[in-house]
Amino acid sequence: MTGLRSRPGCEGSRTEHFGRPGEAIPGKAGGLLTGRKGFFMTTISPSLLAADFSRLDRELQRITDGGAEWLHLDVMDGVFVPNISFGIPVVKSIRKCSPLHFDLHLMIQDPMPYLKPFADAGADTISFHPECGCDAEAVIDAIHALGKRAGVAICPSTPAESLQPLLHKLELVMAMSVEPGFGGQKFMDCCLPKLRWLREAAPSLDLSVDGGINAETGRLCREAGANVLVAGSYVFGAEDAAAAIRSLR
Ligand code: DX5
Ligand code: ZN
């Protein structure tokens, strides 16, 4: 099985998003939600934070050869989260050597001024945290005006229901299964009911889960409705990245 089997009661709402074998679903840039009728394909988005930064070209090759579709890019400002990672120049540099869909995760206090620089640097989906206190609708509109897909990420303590007014405007919701700020943390299963709620509320949304994902926690998240799995340590820390990626589907 390569994806999430539709459950009784959800089938009707999901069927319109299922494709014929190998068929891409219109309007879903990045090749997501493709696959056999009755199945969601799982998109794997390895988180660069766990890569060997001294060998980025080799690390990118490893996950691309291993079958990853997306690359998750964690941008941290030391204000919204107690850590600093990397920024625009790194995204711009690796854009030159990667064909993957760039899944940008902004963990920053003030996203608005940085949307255009990151869009120009090559981001494809731009996700931000509404908990930063920004005007979320305005940020989503600004991302769309740049021609990019818009996502929101929510911390473990943020209820999924708080996103209800935004769902119709979004291409992606990312449920955090760890506190944002660091890789290598333990999976928090409070994300699972949120994923179930979000999948019911927005059947065609890309639903991503981020933090502590491995073969076992990934399976739980797929069963709860996630179709995008972000995995840092599990994929980049593996000797055989292709096998790790396969085990997540
Ligand atoms: C945490 C980041 C995650 C992290 C995931 O703040 O948003 O994307 O890199 O790393 P693992 O898979 O190691 O938990
Ligand atoms: Zn992330």
Side-chain angles (χ1 to χ4, degrees), residues 10-18 28 33 40 167 197-207 225 227:
C10 297
E11 201 150 352
S13 56
R14 286 180 175 182
T15 301
E16 64 188 288
H17 305 292
F18 295 146
K28 288 284 179 183
L33 293 187
F40 269 112
L167 290 179
W197 186 88
L198 286 160
R199 182 50 78 207
E200 294 291 341
S204 67
L205 197 66
D206 274 331
L207 192 46
N227 70 299

Short mmCIF file of all heavy atoms in Angstrom, two decimals, residues 10-18 28 33 40 167 197-207 225 227:
data_model
loop_
_atom_site.label_atom_id
_atom_site.label_comp_id
_atom_site.label_asym_id
_atom_site.label_seq_id
_atom_site.Cartn_x
_atom_site.Cartn_y
_atom_site.Cartn_z
N CYS A 10 -15.80 8.72 4.45
CA CYS A 10 -14.99 9.81 3.89
C CYS A 10 -14.85 9.63 2.38
O CYS A 10 -14.40 10.52 1.70
CB CYS A 10 -13.58 9.81 4.47
SG CYS A 10 -13.57 10.12 6.22
N GLU A 11 -15.21 8.45 1.91
CA GLU A 11 -14.90 8.11 0.53
C GLU A 11 -15.49 9.11 -0.46
O GLU A 11 -14.81 9.57 -1.36
CB GLU A 11 -15.43 6.71 0.21
CG GLU A 11 -14.73 6.10 -0.97
CD GLU A 11 -14.67 4.59 -0.84
OE1 GLU A 11 -15.03 4.06 0.21
OE2 GLU A 11 -14.27 3.97 -1.82
N GLY A 12 -16.78 9.45 -0.23
CA GLY A 12 -17.43 10.36 -1.16
C GLY A 12 -16.69 11.67 -1.28
O GLY A 12 -16.40 12.14 -2.37
N SER A 13 -16.29 12.22 -0.14
CA SER A 13 -15.66 13.53 -0.17
C SER A 13 -14.26 13.46 -0.75
O SER A 13 -13.75 14.45 -1.23
CB SER A 13 -15.61 14.10 1.25
OG SER A 13 -14.95 13.20 2.10
N ARG A 14 -13.65 12.29 -0.70
CA ARG A 14 -12.29 12.21 -1.20
C ARG A 14 -12.21 11.80 -2.65
O ARG A 14 -11.23 12.09 -3.31
CB ARG A 14 -11.51 11.17 -0.38
CG ARG A 14 -11.16 11.67 0.98
CD ARG A 14 -10.41 10.62 1.70
NE ARG A 14 -9.97 11.12 2.97
CZ ARG A 14 -9.25 10.41 3.81
NH1 ARG A 14 -8.90 9.19 3.49
NH2 ARG A 14 -8.87 10.92 4.94
N THR A 15 -13.22 11.08 -3.12
CA THR A 15 -13.10 10.44 -4.42
C THR A 15 -12.72 11.42 -5.52
O THR A 15 -11.93 11.11 -6.39
CB THR A 15 -14.42 9.73 -4.78
OG1 THR A 15 -14.66 8.77 -3.75
CG2 THR A 15 -14.33 9.03 -6.11
N GLU A 16 -13.27 12.63 -5.44
CA GLU A 16 -12.98 13.59 -6.51
C GLU A 16 -11.50 13.91 -6.61
O GLU A 16 -11.03 14.43 -7.61
CB GLU A 16 -13.76 14.88 -6.27
CG GLU A 16 -13.34 15.58 -4.99
CD GLU A 16 -14.24 16.74 -4.64
OE1 GLU A 16 -14.16 17.76 -5.34
OE2 GLU A 16 -15.00 16.64 -3.68
N HIS A 17 -10.72 13.60 -5.57
CA HIS A 17 -9.29 13.92 -5.60
C HIS A 17 -8.42 12.75 -6.02
O HIS A 17 -7.22 12.88 -6.09
CB HIS A 17 -8.84 14.43 -4.23
CG HIS A 17 -9.67 15.57 -3.78
ND1 HIS A 17 -9.62 16.79 -4.39
CD2 HIS A 17 -10.62 15.64 -2.84
CE1 HIS A 17 -10.50 17.59 -3.82
NE2 HIS A 17 -11.12 16.92 -2.88
N PHE A 18 -9.04 11.60 -6.24
CA PHE A 18 -8.25 10.44 -6.65
C PHE A 18 -8.04 10.45 -8.16
O PHE A 18 -8.94 10.80 -8.91
CB PHE A 18 -8.95 9.15 -6.25
CG PHE A 18 -9.06 8.97 -4.77
CD1 PHE A 18 -10.16 8.35 -4.23
CD2 PHE A 18 -8.08 9.43 -3.92
CE1 PHE A 18 -10.27 8.19 -2.87
CE2 PHE A 18 -8.18 9.27 -2.56
CZ PHE A 18 -9.29 8.65 -2.02
N LYS A 28 -2.69 21.01 -8.27
CA LYS A 28 -1.89 20.58 -7.12
C LYS A 28 -0.42 20.53 -7.52
O LYS A 28 0.14 19.48 -7.72
CB LYS A 28 -2.37 19.21 -6.63
CG LYS A 28 -3.72 19.28 -5.95
CD LYS A 28 -3.56 19.84 -4.55
CE LYS A 28 -4.88 19.96 -3.83
NZ LYS A 28 -4.72 20.56 -2.52
N LEU A 33 -1.00 14.20 -4.11
CA LEU A 33 -2.32 13.61 -4.24
C LEU A 33 -2.52 12.96 -5.59
O LEU A 33 -3.49 13.21 -6.29
CB LEU A 33 -3.43 14.64 -3.98
CG LEU A 33 -3.53 15.16 -2.55
CD1 LEU A 33 -4.77 16.03 -2.41
CD2 LEU A 33 -3.56 14.06 -1.52
N PHE A 40 -4.69 7.69 -1.34
CA PHE A 40 -3.88 8.89 -1.36
C PHE A 40 -2.43 8.45 -1.44
O PHE A 40 -2.02 7.54 -0.74
CB PHE A 40 -4.02 9.68 -0.05
CG PHE A 40 -5.11 10.69 -0.07
CD1 PHE A 40 -6.23 10.53 0.72
CD2 PHE A 40 -5.01 11.82 -0.85
CE1 PHE A 40 -7.23 11.48 0.72
CE2 PHE A 40 -6.01 12.77 -0.86
CZ PHE A 40 -7.12 12.60 -0.06
N LEU A 167 -9.34 27.77 6.30
CA LEU A 167 -9.12 26.54 5.52
C LEU A 167 -9.39 26.72 4.03
O LEU A 167 -8.64 26.19 3.19
CB LEU A 167 -9.99 25.39 6.06
CG LEU A 167 -9.56 24.84 7.43
CD1 LEU A 167 -10.51 23.72 7.87
CD2 LEU A 167 -8.12 24.34 7.41
N TRP A 197 -9.52 15.63 12.41
CA TRP A 197 -10.47 16.74 12.28
C TRP A 197 -10.22 17.51 10.99
O TRP A 197 -11.15 17.84 10.23
CB TRP A 197 -10.38 17.67 13.49
CG TRP A 197 -11.44 18.74 13.46
CD1 TRP A 197 -12.71 18.67 13.96
CD2 TRP A 197 -11.32 20.03 12.83
NE1 TRP A 197 -13.38 19.82 13.68
CE2 TRP A 197 -12.57 20.68 13.00
CE3 TRP A 197 -10.31 20.68 12.14
CZ2 TRP A 197 -12.81 21.96 12.51
CZ3 TRP A 197 -10.55 21.96 11.63
CH2 TRP A 197 -11.78 22.59 11.83
N LEU A 198 -8.95 17.81 10.72
CA LEU A 198 -8.61 18.59 9.53
C LEU A 198 -8.97 17.83 8.26
O LEU A 198 -9.47 18.42 7.29
CB LEU A 198 -7.12 18.95 9.54
CG LEU A 198 -6.72 20.04 10.54
CD1 LEU A 198 -5.23 19.98 10.84
CD2 LEU A 198 -7.09 21.42 9.99
N ARG A 199 -8.72 16.52 8.24
CA ARG A 199 -9.03 15.74 7.03
C ARG A 199 -10.53 15.73 6.76
O ARG A 199 -10.96 15.81 5.60
CB ARG A 199 -8.46 14.32 7.17
CG ARG A 199 -8.67 13.46 5.97
CD ARG A 199 -8.25 14.12 4.66
NE ARG A 199 -6.83 14.12 4.41
CZ ARG A 199 -6.20 15.05 3.67
NH1 ARG A 199 -6.86 16.07 3.14
NH2 ARG A 199 -4.89 14.98 3.47
N GLU A 200 -11.30 15.66 7.83
CA GLU A 200 -12.76 15.70 7.65
C GLU A 200 -13.21 17.09 7.20
O GLU A 200 -14.07 17.23 6.35
CB GLU A 200 -13.48 15.34 8.96
CG GLU A 200 -13.27 13.92 9.42
CD GLU A 200 -13.96 12.90 8.53
OE1 GLU A 200 -14.88 13.26 7.77
OE2 GLU A 200 -13.55 11.72 8.57
N ALA A 201 -12.60 18.11 7.80
CA ALA A 201 -13.03 19.49 7.52
C ALA A 201 -12.60 19.95 6.13
O ALA A 201 -13.28 20.79 5.52
CB ALA A 201 -12.45 20.43 8.58
N ALA A 202 -11.49 19.44 5.65
CA ALA A 202 -10.95 19.91 4.36
C ALA A 202 -10.36 18.72 3.60
O ALA A 202 -9.15 18.52 3.58
CB ALA A 202 -9.88 20.97 4.61
N PRO A 203 -11.23 17.92 2.96
CA PRO A 203 -10.77 16.66 2.35
C PRO A 203 -9.69 16.82 1.29
O PRO A 203 -8.90 15.91 1.08
CB PRO A 203 -12.06 16.08 1.75
CG PRO A 203 -13.17 16.72 2.49
CD PRO A 203 -12.68 18.09 2.86
N SER A 204 -9.64 17.96 0.60
CA SER A 204 -8.67 18.06 -0.49
C SER A 204 -7.40 18.81 -0.12
O SER A 204 -6.53 19.02 -0.95
CB SER A 204 -9.33 18.76 -1.70
OG SER A 204 -9.61 20.10 -1.37
N LEU A 205 -7.31 19.21 1.13
CA LEU A 205 -6.14 19.97 1.58
C LEU A 205 -4.90 19.07 1.69
O LEU A 205 -5.02 17.91 2.04
CB LEU A 205 -6.47 20.49 2.99
CG LEU A 205 -5.65 21.62 3.58
CD1 LEU A 205 -5.87 22.91 2.80
CD2 LEU A 205 -6.09 21.83 5.03
N ASP A 206 -3.74 19.61 1.40
CA ASP A 206 -2.53 18.89 1.75
C ASP A 206 -2.36 19.00 3.25
O ASP A 206 -2.31 20.10 3.81
CB ASP A 206 -1.31 19.51 1.06
CG ASP A 206 -1.11 18.95 -0.32
OD1 ASP A 206 -1.51 17.79 -0.53
OD2 ASP A 206 -0.60 19.65 -1.19
N LEU A 207 -2.26 17.85 3.88
CA LEU A 207 -2.22 17.80 5.34
C LEU A 207 -0.89 17.16 5.73
O LEU A 207 -0.63 15.99 5.44
CB LEU A 207 -3.41 16.98 5.82
CG LEU A 207 -3.76 17.00 7.29
CD1 LEU A 207 -3.76 18.40 7.85
CD2 LEU A 207 -5.16 16.38 7.45
N GLY A 225 -4.97 10.77 8.49
CA GLY A 225 -5.35 11.66 7.40
C GLY A 225 -4.22 12.46 6.77
O GLY A 225 -4.44 13.16 5.79
N ASN A 227 -1.25 13.40 4.41
CA ASN A 227 -0.73 12.90 3.12
C ASN A 227 0.67 13.44 2.83
O ASN A 227 1.24 13.12 1.79
CB ASN A 227 -1.68 13.25 1.97
CG ASN A 227 -1.71 14.72 1.66
OD1 ASN A 227 -2.07 15.52 2.52
ND2 ASN A 227 -1.32 15.11 0.46
#
